[in-house]
Amino acid sequence: MSTVTVTEFIEAPAVDLWRLLVDLPVRADWLRTVGEVELLTPGPLAPGTAWRETRTRPDGGTQAEEFVVVECVPPRRLVLASPGIGVSYRTTWVLRTVQRRRRACTAVTVAQEAVATAPYGRVLALLFGGLAARTVEGTFRRDLADLSRAAHPPTQAEAA
């Protein structure tokens, strides 16, 4: 089993960041690497909600990933499961209100656990584990930067 964890501090209320995270139809609008989101279950986001998103990989190709909500505690914790080939992934988003430089902000931590579900999954983890961890870390850092940007859209003067 391997775990990758990234934390960023975003100067926005947790409730606003939570809305962005769980509004599945607009994920592709603010996540640079997500091209399309397809809802697989109807209704509001809750345990059992499933979707597929197509992401652009660092090499320029695309990859479809499916996610299922395992745990949902608004606006603090979201746990997702994602099946892989020989590996099962569990991604946890945690939002905590903190004081940083005397200002209220949200510490957003995203962590992914990878658990081998087949013998070849363990072999792949040994061979490519470090590269995979660096790739996942880079993806999380980009996603958190995108979340911060979405929480602070430019004003009309800045956009001009």
Side-chain angles (χ1 to χ4, degrees):
M1 175 170 60
S2 67
T3 303
V4 175
T5 303
V6 176
T7 299
E8 293 291 338
F9 296 92
I10 301 175
E11 289 189 13
V15 69
D16 292 349
L17 299 174
W18 179 264
R19 268 191 234 112
L20 287 165
L21 284 175
V22 302
D23 190 350
L24 300 177
V26 301
R27 283 178 72 82
D29 294 343
W30 63 268
L31 279 167
R32 285 177 286 177
T33 59
V34 174
E36 181 182 350
V37 175
E38 176 188 359
L39 296 173
L40 302 175
T41 56
L45 190 119
T49 299
W51 73 94
R52 179 180 305 119
E53 58 188 43
T54 304
R55 284 188 171 250
T56 303
R57 295 188 314 245
D59 66 4
T62 60
Q63 178 177 346
E65 294 182 82
E66 289 189 12
F67 297 95
V68 176
V69 176
V70 175
E71 183 182 344
C72 181
V73 182
R76 296 178 311 186
R77 183 176 167 86
L78 179 63
V79 181
L80 310 172
S82 180
I85 300 172
V87 180
S88 177
Y89 299 99
R90 187 175 184 100
T91 305
T92 302
W93 291 81
V94 176
L95 288 74
R96 291 177 309 149
T97 301
V98 297
Q99 291 290 318
R100 188 161 189 241
R101 297 184 192 131
R102 296 185 219 177
R103 296 172 74 167
C105 67
T106 303
V108 182
T109 300
V110 59
Q112 182 183 75
E113 287 181 84
V115 179
T117 58
Y120 61 86
R122 286 187 265 291
V123 172
L124 289 173
L126 285 171
L127 294 174
F128 301 108
L131 175 62
R134 286 189 299 278
T135 301
V136 168
E137 180 182 351
T139 298
F140 286 163
R141 290 197 185 284
R142 277 188 299 281
D143 288 356
L144 288 167
D146 289 349
L147 180 61
S148 181
R149 260 192 297 287
H152 300 98
T155 63
Q156 286 183 350
E158 292 171 335

